């Protein structure tokens, strides 16, 4: 009986993991992007401090539209492999705060003592891994589908 339950659980997780990651990451991107577009993002100062070489009132809305486009690409799975790779690259860019504005992310120069902003940014490691997992799992399932179709 335990083997049957283990198999059902594994099949259930296998079927839901990829769509769950894709949809949840897409919703985060759509939501955060929309907040930037409508001028209600709580990270406006953080973005400006992270990219001091970019000036202008267009920065946040432009970033918001990029995030919305990435969210839609994730949600609809097109372009299938480019979207999660672009999301991973975008999220990696959020770590610039540790170099461009370290006082916003780290208490008293101690990298083990993160501010709320530092914790907010550090959790993006999980989102980067989710994007990489989507890329890897999606690729694997595409290859497996071809093998099954050929076999």
């Amino acid at each position: 009986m335990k083997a049957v339950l283990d198999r059902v659980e594994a099949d259930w997780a296998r079927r839901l993991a990829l769509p769950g990651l894709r949809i949840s990451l897409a919703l985060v991107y759509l939501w955060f992007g929309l907040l930037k577009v409508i001028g209600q993002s709580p990270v406006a100062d953080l973005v400006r401090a992270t990219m001091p070489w970019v000036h202008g009132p267009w920065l946040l809305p432009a970033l918001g539209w990029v995030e919305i486009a990435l969210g839609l690409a994730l949600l609809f799975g097109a372009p299938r492999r480019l979207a999660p790779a672009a999301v991973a690259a975008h999220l990696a860019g959020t770590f610039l705060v540790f170099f461009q504005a370290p006082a916003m992310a780290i208490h008293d120069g101690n990298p083990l003592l993160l501010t709320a902003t530092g914790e907010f940014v550090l959790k993006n490691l999980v989102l980067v891994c989710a994007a990489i997992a989507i890329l890897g799992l999606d690729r694997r399932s595409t290859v497996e589908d071809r093998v099954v179709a050929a076999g």
Side-chain angles (χ1 to χ4, degrees), residues 25 29 70 82-93 95 127-129 131-132 135:
L25 194 53
Y29 262 78
L70 289 172
L82 180 59
V87 165
H90 172 266
L91 286 165
F95 296 105
L127 299 179
V128 168
C129 290
I132 293 168
L135 185 62

Side-chain angles (χ1 to χ4, degrees), residues 6 8 12 14 16 29 38 44 50 63 68 79 85 89-90 95 111 134 145:
D6 288 346
V8 168
W12 176 80
R14 192 175 300 115
L16 295 180
Y29 262 78
I38 65 172
T50 301
L63 183 58
I68 289 170
H90 172 266
F95 296 105
I134 291 168
D145 291 345

Side-chain angles (χ1 to χ4, degrees), residues 33 36-38 47 51 54 56-70 90:
K36 287 177 182 76
V37 168
I38 65 172
V47 171
M51 299 190 313
V54 181
W58 53 269
L59 173 62
L60 246 19
L63 183 58
W65 284 113
V66 167
E67 290 176 358
I68 289 170
L70 289 172
H90 172 266

Side-chain angles (χ1 to χ4, degrees), residues 26-146:
L27 290 176
V28 167
Y29 262 78
L30 291 168
W31 196 323
F32 286 14
L34 182 61
L35 288 175
K36 287 177 182 76
V37 168
I38 65 172
Q40 295 297 311
S41 177
V43 298
D45 292 336
L46 176 63
V47 171
R48 286 187 198 98
T50 301
M51 299 190 313
W53 60 87
V54 181
H55 302 286
W58 53 269
L59 173 62
L60 246 19
L63 183 58
W65 284 113
V66 167
E67 290 176 358
I68 289 170
L70 289 172
L72 291 171
L74 281 170
L75 194 60
F76 295 109
R80 192 165 200 87
R81 290 175 43 199
L82 180 59
V87 165
H90 172 266
L91 286 165
T94 66
F95 296 105
L96 279 174
V97 71
F98 289 106
F99 305 100
Q100 290 296 123
M104 292 183 81
I106 299 170
H107 279 294
D108 301 323
N110 184 343
L112 298 178
L113 299 176
L114 298 178
T115 64
T117 297
E119 288 185 12
F120 173 76
V121 172
L122 187 63
K123 65 92 180 88
N124 285 348
L125 281 174
V126 176
L127 299 179
V128 168
C129 290
I132 293 168
I134 291 168
L135 185 62
L137 290 171
D138 214 13
R139 174 133 176 96
R140 192 181 82 208
S141 65
T142 303
V143 170
E144 288 172 356
D145 291 345
R146 278 191 233 136

